[in-house]
Amino acid sequence: MTNTFMAAFDILSFSAIMVLIVLGLGVIASMMGIFNFAQGEFVLLGAYITYLAYHHGLPVWVGMAAAPILVGLLGFVLEALMIRRFYAAPIVAMLGTYALGLVIRETVRGLIGGLYLTVPEPIGGSIGIATMHISAWRFTILVITGLVLGACYLLLSRTSFGLRVRATLENPALARASGVSTTFIYGATFAFGAALAGLAGALIVPVFDLFADLGIRFLIQGFVAVMVGGVGSFIGPVAGAGIIGAVSAALPWAVAPVVADVLVFVLAIAFVKCRPQGLIAQRGV
């Protein structure tokens, strides 16, 4: 019973991390028709900003609060200077964002010297449930993910900004004719996705430590999750992230971790082959 409970908790906590990463990636893909291959490096930047705050004597939570803001601002600037030139050529956009991610990753590698750096958990200890104990910080990640998901849904479905986002997604030309600044919407959407990745990096750095290749694993799994869930909707990427996160966390309990990683991709490829549009695909966020 204890092992089952701990396995379920590990699956939930890892799925929550995947949801944060994939939500931003999915929104960008749905809105702009491109996959941001620098999303993993935005996760890395969020972790690095958190580490910098801790290294300079500030509380860890200060770095965690600053990470999504700073990464989001960087995303807004990068969209204006670089990304928007690639909207008409999705393949070029993937190559361009991959190159951008490579620059960010190698820059961070040079700054940290190729080391593995640790950041303490802002909330340490464990939470006792009957005779079992779970990590207080991993439980906090679950709670924060739930709050972020709720806030994102309300933002996109209950606000005027969300209405403009949905209008731009449905018909950009008609949105522009109606007075919507689609240029700003694209920039804000890209910044929003980058900020979510920065938040994910800030939350996971106490769990996974900081190293230059931190974002690569999450980028690959995030890409697969978006393909499985389907673009064009709010719930699609979230569902894909939940599925891929759950499978990725559950399989190592049954098979060797190396075999588990391969099985995740085999199962995902088989699913996408049978259902190319993804689990949930529709126009509208």
Side-chain angles (χ1 to χ4, degrees):
M1 179 63 183
T2 300
N3 288 338
T4 302
F5 178 82
M6 294 306 298
F9 179 73
D10 283 347
I11 291 170
L12 280 174
S13 60
F14 187 76
S15 298
I17 293 168
M18 286 300 303
V19 164
L20 283 179
I21 297 170
V22 171
L23 181 59
L25 187 63
V27 168
I28 291 172
S30 299
M31 171 68 70
M32 303 171 181
I34 64 172
F35 280 100
N36 175 25
F37 275 78
Q39 191 80 353
E41 277 59 51
F42 289 152
V43 174
L44 173 63
L45 283 178
Y48 183 62
I49 291 170
T50 304
Y51 166 77
L52 283 181
Y54 169 71
H55 181 70
H56 286 87
L58 297 173
V60 176
W61 64 264
V62 172
M64 290 181 172
I69 298 173
L70 295 178
V71 176
L73 288 174
L74 176 64
F76 189 83
V77 172
L78 289 175
E79 192 278 337
L81 296 178
M82 174 183 172
I83 306 299
R84 69 177 52 172
R85 291 166 171 76
F86 299 145
Y87 292 154
I91 300 299
V92 178
M94 289 194 295
L95 293 174
T97 54
Y98 176 80
L100 174 63
L102 185 63
V103 170
I104 295 173
R105 182 166 68 249
E106 295 308 315
T107 299
V108 173
R109 193 190 306 277
L111 291 172
I112 66 178
L115 301 175
Y116 282 68
L117 304 175
T118 59
V119 175
E121 297 175 346
I123 303 176
S126 60
I127 299 174
I129 301 177
T131 59
M132 296 166 287
H133 292 81
I134 60 175
S135 167
W137 180 240
R138 285 182 177 248
F139 179 77
T140 303
I141 291 176
L142 281 173
V143 174
I144 293 174
T145 300
L147 293 174
V148 169
L149 275 177
C152 290
Y153 176 77
L154 292 175
L155 174 67
L156 294 173
S157 63
R158 296 290 187 270
T159 67
S160 60
F161 174 76
L163 179 62
R164 292 194 294 270
V165 168
R166 298 198 307 275
T168 303
L169 174 61
E170 285 285 349
N171 192 323
L174 182 59
R176 284 191 293 269
S178 301
V180 175
S181 175
T182 55
T183 300
F184 173 78
I185 293 296
Y186 284 142
T189 301
F190 193 87
F192 175 69
L196 287 176
L199 175 61
L203 294 177
I204 66 174
V205 67
V207 179
F208 292 95
D209 292 339
L210 172 64
F211 58 101
D213 296 322
L214 174 65
I216 293 178
R217 174 187 182 185
F218 296 105
L219 170 64
I220 297 172
Q221 291 184 335
F223 177 80
V224 172
V226 172
M227 296 303 296
V228 169
V231 298
S233 67
F234 176 84
I235 195 62
V238 174
I243 292 171
I244 296 300
V247 173
S248 298
L251 282 178
W253 287 81
V255 298
V258 174
V259 177
D261 288 341
V262 175
L263 280 177
V264 169
F265 292 108
V266 170
L267 293 173
I269 291 171
F271 179 85
V272 173
K273 177 66 176 178
C274 297
R275 189 176 173 84
Q277 73 272 28
L279 185 66
I280 302 172
Q282 62 185 43
R283 300 305 298 171
V285 175

